[in-house]
Amino acid sequence: MRDAMLTMARLTGWLARLGLWVAGIGLVLMTAFVFAQVFYRYVMGTSLFWAEPASVMLMGWFIFLGAAVGVKEGYHLSFDVGLYLVPDWMRPWFHSLSDLVVAAFGFGMAYYGWQLAAKVVSGVIPGLGISRLWDFAPVIGGGVLLVLFSLERILRRGAGLKTARFGDMDDAADGILDGHAEGPSAEAMLEDSVPGGKGK
């Protein structure tokens, strides 16, 4: 199972990098479109009728793609205080529960996004002349990626592979620390062994 998960991780890693590139290009294009619209409106005295709807659509793409990649890479904030109160063997179960909640949310995004898209598919986005389906495509795509990346995290954990989490010093999840923070770790602060820990 570990070999299959490593293969899956390579494929989803490629998909995540592609998502980041698309999101980054979308952010740059949106910024350029908004700048052009302001320039044309206030300097040229005219307007780019397509700039605003295109910018809103691009914003949807980079928000939802970026959020999905954040789940894959473990970059989202988490509330870990409770994890320090439970035994070590229970922590992976809580992490997997968190990933299940994110997967359920992603499924809801994809499912209801698809229903909304089906209702407006015959409409046209003013200024762009394309189907209103594309207004909801980022929600559907982002939801599918959230489900995929969350399930991958659960399966990786089940196979005994490390999954990246916010605040980890091992960004690549390869077992090698990428940097060292100054001072004692949060877990050490809960012990009596360091100054400022509990009981001091």
Side-chain angles (χ1 to χ4, degrees), residues 120-160:
V120 299
V121 70
S122 60
V124 174
I125 299 174
L128 293 180
I130 60 175
S131 171
R132 292 199 69 90
L133 163 77
W134 293 102
D135 276 338
F136 297 100
V139 179
I140 299 167
V144 169
L145 289 178
L146 278 177
V147 172
L148 175 65
F149 293 152
S150 297
L151 292 180
E152 180 202 358
R153 291 174 62 81
I154 294 169
L155 293 173
R156 280 180 64 91
R157 203 172 289 116

Side-chain angles (χ1 to χ4, degrees), residues 4-105:
M5 286 311 307
L6 290 172
T7 301
M8 182 181 181
R10 283 191 289 273
L11 294 173
T12 56
W14 179 84
L15 187 59
R17 281 191 297 278
L18 177 64
L20 274 183
W21 273 99
V22 171
I25 291 169
L27 177 60
V28 171
L29 284 175
M30 187 199 76
T31 304
F33 291 169
V34 170
F35 175 79
Q37 174 72 325
V38 170
F39 178 80
Y40 269 77
R41 181 170 293 169
Y42 294 105
V43 177
M44 306 295 288
T46 185
S47 180
L48 299 174
F49 61 89
W50 52 267
E52 183 179 347
S55 297
V56 170
M57 184 182 302
L58 287 170
M59 183 171 62
W61 277 109
F62 73 72
I63 286 173
F64 289 114
L65 287 177
V69 173
V71 168
K72 158 83 174 152
E73 302 295 334
Y75 287 152
H76 288 291
L77 291 171
S78 58
F79 189 69
D80 290 344
V81 173
L83 293 176
Y84 294 116
L85 303 176
V86 298
D88 288 346
W89 65 268
M90 291 183 67
R91 291 180 187 176
W93 292 98
F94 280 91
H95 293 159
S96 294
L97 177 62
S98 173
D99 289 330
L100 275 175
V101 171
V102 172
F105 183 78

